[in-house]
């Protein structure tokens, strides 16, 4: 085996990250309408100013009737959707799809196999 004097090549790893797309916005709107009778007050999508590798640049904030402060924060990290308790800043769960994450907060929409809101 010949000896090479070349320096080893370095590999740059680019972390995979999902973003909030129009299909997620549509699903969030349907979910919000269905969840209002169950205590959800509002939801909105914000863009983060501090970008972190592997984390989405946008996140969803969800308010409930009981408090004026946001109750939940939802964002993607890698290929998972993370639900946070926005009051205590605790992770409540990590989910394979956007729909599953919202379902954890309030299970108000029927879950179908092969759902598009991944």
């Amino acid at each position: 085996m010949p000896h090479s004097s070349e320096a080893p090549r370095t590999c740059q790893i680019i972390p995979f990250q999902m973003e909030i797309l129009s299909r997620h916005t549509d699903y969030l709107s349907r979910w919000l309408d269905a969840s209002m009778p169950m205590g959800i007050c509002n939801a909105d999508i914000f863009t983060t100013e501090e970008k972190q590798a592997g984390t989405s640049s946008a996140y969803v904030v969800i308010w409930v009737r009981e408090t004026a402060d946001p109750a939940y924060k939802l964002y993607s990290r890698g290929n998972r959707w993370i639900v946070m308790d926005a009051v205590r800043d605790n992770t409540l769960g990590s989910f394979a799809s956007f729909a599953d994450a919202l379902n954890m907060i309030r299970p108000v929409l029927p879950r179908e196999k092969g759902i598009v809101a991944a």
Side-chain angles (χ1 to χ4, degrees):
M1 182 193 252
H3 179 64
S4 174
S5 62
E6 288 183 31
R9 294 183 185 182
T10 58
C11 178
Q12 181 180 5
I13 297 173
I14 300 171
F16 173 76
Q17 63 191 47
M18 295 186 293
E19 294 292 341
I20 297 174
L21 305 173
S22 61
R23 70 173 184 252
H24 299 118
T25 304
D26 293 343
Y27 191 85
L28 177 64
S29 179
R30 290 195 323 267
W31 177 85
L32 181 60
D33 288 344
S35 63
M36 284 188 166
M38 293 184 66
I40 297 296
C41 181
N42 199 2
D44 208 347
I45 298 171
F46 295 94
T47 303
T48 184
E49 293 178 15
E50 296 179 18
K51 186 72 175 122
Q52 295 180 345
T55 303
S56 59
S57 60
Y59 58 95
V60 176
V61 175
I62 299 168
W63 287 266
V64 295
R65 269 194 302 249
E66 294 81 19
T67 180
D69 294 324
Y72 302 98
K73 181 179 176 181
L74 173 69
Y75 63 95
S76 73
R77 181 182 301 139
N79 64 348
R80 306 288 294 177
W81 292 96
I82 310 299
V83 177
M84 300 282 299
D85 176 337
V87 175
R88 295 171 192 85
D89 202 30
N90 293 328
T91 301
L92 300 176
S94 171
F95 303 89
S97 75
F98 187 76
D100 287 342
L102 289 174
N103 189 58
M104 187 245 98
I105 297 169
R106 294 289 192 282
V108 294
L109 292 178
R111 301 289 293 123
E112 299 175 19
K113 293 194 185 262
I115 194 155
V116 178

